[in-house]
Amino acid sequence: MKVLVTGAAGFIGSHASERLADLGHEVVAIDNFSNYYDISLKRLNADALAEKGILVRDIDLRFDDLSEEITEDLSHIFHFAAQPGISAASSFKDYKSNNVEATQRLLDAVEVLDKKPFFVNIATSSIYGLVATLTEDQAPLPASWYGVTKLAAEQLVLAYSRRNLLQSCSLRLYSVYGPRERPDKLYTRLIDCGLNNKPFPLYEGSSEHLRSFTYVQDIIDGVVSVIGKESVCNGEIFNLGTEEENTTAHGIATVEEILQKKIAIDHKPARPGDQSRTKANIDKARKLLGYNPQTRLKDGLEAQVTWFKNTF
């Protein structure tokens, strides 16, 4: 089958593109190579995909012509492209443009096709708000621009399913880590600080935050499990993550154990909109998708440390 992956040069999108190709699918990969973080890191991901025969095309969903990429021979769209995370450097306009308007433009391109691909929207536990422990049918309470705009994007996609304009589902991901994790995220930054003797910025109160830290390949297991289960998934939302909870403090200690060195801490004021707890309730995904994440935190972090040492 021929599938489209948006945000294919990013952390999770690049892994999804590789897995889909390994499963025998033809992957159409696009990314706008935004400067949210160092573009050279996205280029490295794109180079890794090129070695597997996947060319990442430089396409911005908000502005560029999508007619060559959105075609009737696509079986699925996996929509990873987004303005990620919680950043004081990003305005509400950035989140609205990249998360809502880009998604709407992608949907517009799909809507005109006679034969429409199944649309897999990639969402986030930030939709739930400051405490993300809910089931998929409980009301979300987003507390950040990221969470608000990702919820809006999700509902745009599902609205098309409700109107029978296409078939779709949305996957809410929990605290993903592993090789290629963005440099602004917890573990890549921790590893960098530990190996390069830099202080790690720790936001007030965050050491006791609880997280469902989920290894990227376990996430990809869930993403690709939608293929072949489209009738079950249509119009549905699924949580994807591990049920295992760990504090940020435990994560820091685990990286220190792997590196066999102490990491200096630079204490920072609390960050508005940051989640105090995420715990993935995956009962629905386990029942309908056969989803069963297995990777323990230390094992995943050892793989991430190896990747970092080999990359930088």
Side-chain angles (χ1 to χ4, degrees), residues 40-54:
S40 67
L41 299 178
K42 291 186 177 183
R43 297 291 180 194
L44 286 175
N45 295 342
D47 290 344
L49 294 182
E51 292 178 4
K52 295 204 168 190
I54 305 168

Side-chain angles (χ1 to χ4, degrees), residues 4 6 70 74-79 106 110 117-121:
L4 173 74
T6 73
I70 312 301
L74 291 176
S75 65
H76 297 76
I77 291 175
F78 294 88
H79 180 36
L106 183 58
V110 172
F118 191 90
F119 196 114
V120 182
N121 180 66

Side-chain angles (χ1 to χ4, degrees), residues 132-250:
T133 60
L134 305 180
T135 60
E136 295 89 343
D137 59 355
Q138 291 178 281
L141 298 167
S144 65
W145 290 338
Y146 174 56
V148 167
T149 54
K150 287 295 284 181
L151 175 59
E154 175 182 87
Q155 290 303 308
L156 277 173
V157 174
L158 295 177
Y160 277 68
S161 285
R162 297 179 192 123
R163 294 158 57 198
N164 295 316
L165 297 174
L166 52 74
Q167 292 192 324
S168 69
C169 68
S170 189
L171 310 178
R172 294 175 177 172
L173 312 187
Y174 279 72
S175 301
V176 190
Y177 73 98
R180 300 180 190 157
E181 184 185 64
R182 300 194 319 264
D184 59 303
K185 291 195 71 181
L186 174 63
Y187 287 117
T188 295
R189 204 164 190 181
L190 264 175
I191 294 165
D192 179 31
C193 289
L195 290 175
N196 295 302
N197 299 311
K198 297 187 289 189
F200 174 75
L202 185 67
Y203 297 98
E204 182 181 351
S206 64
S207 64
E208 298 309 312
H209 287 175
L210 283 163
R211 292 283 184 271
S212 282
F213 294 120
T214 310
Y215 188 58
V216 63
Q217 294 299 338
D218 285 339
I219 286 292
I220 302 304
D221 287 345
V223 171
V224 301
S225 70
V226 171
I227 298 174
K229 301 184 179 73
E230 292 82 4
S231 60
V232 172
C233 294
N234 185 36
E236 299 292 339
I237 297 168
F238 296 93
N239 294 333
L240 296 183
T242 178
E243 294 170 305
E244 178 184 331
E245 287 185 283
N246 286 287
T247 63
T248 301
H250 178 72

